[in-house]
Amino acid sequence: MAYASRRVPADPHRAIEAVFRIEQAKLIAALTRLTRDVGRAEELAQDALVAALEQWPAAGVPENPGAWLMTAAKNRAFDSLRKNTLVERKHEDLARDERAREGIAPDLEQQLDDDVGDDLLRLVLISCHPVLSTEAQVALTLRLLGGLTVPEISRAFLTPETTIQQRIVRAKKTLADARVAFEVPRGEDLRARLTAVLRVIYLVFNEGYSATAGDDWLRPALCEDALRLGRMLAELTPREPEVLGLVALMELQASRARARVGPDGAPVLLFDQDRSRWDGLLIARGLAALERAQRLTDAPGPYQLQAGIAACHARARTPAETDWAAIVGLYSELARLNPSPVIELNRAVALSMLMGPQAGLTIVDALKNEPALEGYHLLPSVRADLLIKLGRLAEARDELTRAASLTQNAREKQLLIARRDGLG
């Protein structure tokens, strides 16, 4: 393999792992197109990583490490194909086109290099194929496209490594058994598949933005992985308004990350945040993505509507300047598209800011017997806020006690208990 100018980094293994995480999705996407097998494609990409770990520490990191890994993967893919029935069926073409060099056929090289964007889109859609459960879609997407290892996914979702590993193995087998085509579906099939993709990406982001369990309120790495996947998907589908809507929503939400925790890691709620710490660049990116989505459609979808709500907060320099009337309207439209007690709970908060706490409490009280909100800690938490504003402190303390007993996040539990104890 020919080498360009090289340098030997102080920590070559760390450098190799960083490069591989960036290039992994492209490698697997190109190799999946060739082999029609996600599992085999991942194995070939790992083989290229092993080759880099063996050679780069001594020889140095190539000037174009991504191209080096792709070439190594091509070589191994071609060697593999020559030994299987696929090559046997194509032996005449291979004999005609094969060149003497290291064994790489020019037509194969072209197959692997063309349409990198299309390959990535296909891989995204395969990872979130409807034959897989949501849990399997999340694990496979983070593994193949996010570049996370099994231990990293395990830590992120507080799930045993063996469980994550089994989900990934079963997902690959399910895709192989179902003979899922490596192609971009059309029309309604594409929209349905994109819906699953967006759901998975947003699920990953939300787990990073507000962890459901564990000792940390935020998991920034998960937010970053979701944002990277969302931005990549927006590049691959630039005229899909809901993709842009999701990217806008994540950019705007992520802009608050630094202000959402105090120096000791304790949560800081929206109205208490120092808005000067909000990230102006992420806000600008989010607003730009939302504007592009709005230019593409007059009928905004759920992600665009949620991004619109986040934009109202982002544009307000203080909580008092927030356009609560617009937010109430956006929540009402969101509830029309996707009726949900959680959306109704959020609308109650916005309505209380616009018309007073009693207006919000009336809606919250109507939600108390909703089966979907049983065990949902934010219901008593929101009710406590409204009761405090109405001066009904004894009831508020009971609600905060209940909320603290329901949450599985240690930081959030501490916050709720502190608020309860602060009522005297």
Side-chain angles (χ1 to χ4, degrees), residues 40-236:
R40 181 61 184 142
E42 188 182 14
E43 290 173 5
L44 290 167
Q46 290 290 333
D47 288 344
L49 171 62
V50 170
L53 289 168
E54 290 173 347
Q55 298 180 37
W56 292 7
V61 177
E63 185 176 349
N64 190 336
W68 191 101
L69 287 167
M70 184 66 82
T71 300
K74 289 176 185 177
N75 284 336
R76 292 171 187 278
F78 185 71
D79 290 342
S80 176
L81 284 172
R82 290 185 66 179
K83 298 173 184 176
N84 66 26
T85 55
L86 177 60
V87 170
E88 291 175 6
R89 290 196 303 269
K90 296 183 177 181
H91 67 278
E92 292 182 2
D93 291 337
L94 291 171
R96 182 183 65 247
D97 294 330
E98 187 175 12
R99 297 295 181 266
R101 180 213 142 279
E102 293 98 343
I104 290 294
D107 64 328
L108 176 59
E109 206 160 349
Q110 184 176 2
Q111 286 178 47
L112 283 166
D113 285 338
D114 285 350
D115 303 323
V116 170
D118 287 346
D119 284 348
L120 283 171
L121 179 56
R122 292 185 187 106
L123 186 60
V124 170
L125 295 173
I126 284 177
S127 298
C128 296
H129 195 282
V131 299
L132 303 176
S133 67
T134 299
E135 293 81 6
Q137 290 174 354
V138 169
L140 195 61
T141 299
L142 290 176
R143 181 74 192 96
L144 299 183
L145 290 144
L148 274 67
T149 63
V150 169
E152 286 171 331
I153 301 171
S154 170
R155 286 195 299 273
F157 287 93
L158 304 179
T159 304
E161 289 184 26
T162 53
T163 302
I164 295 296
Q165 184 64 51
Q166 288 169 0
R167 285 178 186 170
I168 293 172
V169 170
R170 288 197 200 105
K172 294 174 187 174
K173 185 177 186 304
T174 299
L175 293 173
D177 292 345
R179 298 184 179 276
V180 171
F182 190 64
E183 61 187 18
V184 176
R186 304 297 175 190
E188 289 302 318
D189 288 341
L190 174 58
R191 291 188 191 91
R193 194 83 65 82
L194 272 178
T195 298
V197 172
L198 297 179
R199 182 183 69 241
V200 165
I201 292 174
Y202 194 40
L203 191 157
V204 173
F205 179 85
N206 270 340
E207 185 58 31
Y209 187 72
S210 184
T212 56
D215 297 327
D216 297 315
W217 175 243
L218 289 178
R219 292 176 184 161
L222 275 183
C223 290
E224 291 165 8
D225 283 319
L227 259 174
R228 182 162 57 84
L229 291 171
R231 290 166 182 162
M232 180 184 75
L233 188 60
E235 290 180 7
L236 298 173

Side-chain angles (χ1 to χ4, degrees), residues 198 230 234-235 237-249 286 288-294 296 303-304 307:
L198 297 179
E235 290 180 7
T237 57
R239 299 198 60 77
E240 287 290 339
E242 273 294 81
V243 175
L244 290 168
L246 175 59
V247 171
L249 174 58
L290 180 58
E291 288 173 8
R292 290 199 302 274
Q294 291 169 336
L296 290 171
Y303 292 112
Q304 292 172 74

